[in-house]
Amino acid sequence: MNTMSGPGSLANIIAAICSVFVPGLGQLVQGRIFKAAFLFVTATVLWLFMLGWLVHIWAIWDAAVWKPRVAFSLVPGSKNRQNAAVLYYATRTPVETTSL
């Protein structure tokens, strides 16, 4: 099992389990505050009309399959654009340690 990030990772499984109990809690655990608030409020309002289970299932699925966006950057001082593309995740990993 992949314990890093992405669909099926241990972190996403824990986030999905959190969303089982409270819609949006899994997104909050993943650091997606606005998405968490949106799912929580939407589920709360829709539970008044007995449709909150739709958002509840959506929150669980979204937490389970979320993958951090990959950002592209240039290595400082590099003149070759093809070799200068560096992948790093939104976890603020230093660019120098993840260069290709």
Side-chain angles (χ1 to χ4, degrees):
M1 180 183 303
N2 182 9
T3 58
M4 295 303 284
S5 61
S9 69
L10 182 60
N12 283 6
I13 292 170
I14 291 170
I17 291 170
C18 291
S19 284
V20 168
F21 297 106
V22 177
L25 184 59
Q27 286 74 15
L28 190 62
V29 167
Q30 292 171 332
R32 301 186 292 157
I33 298 170
F34 295 113
K35 182 90 175 228
F38 171 76
L39 289 172
F40 180 76
V41 170
T42 305
T44 303
V45 170
L46 287 179
W47 271 115
L48 297 174
F49 304 103
M50 295 303 203
L51 294 173
W53 61 272
L54 292 170
V55 178
H56 207 137
I57 291 174
W58 175 30
I60 295 167
W61 177 82
D62 181 62
V65 300
W66 179 70
K67 184 175 182 180
R69 290 185 183 193
V70 176
F72 290 94
S73 178
L74 294 177
V75 176
S78 176
K79 295 182 182 178
N80 186 349
R81 284 186 153 293
Q82 292 176 343
N83 294 332
V86 176
L87 299 175
Y88 66 97
Y89 287 99
T91 57
R92 297 181 189 98
T93 304
V95 173
E96 295 79 20
T97 61
T98 58
S99 63
L100 296 175

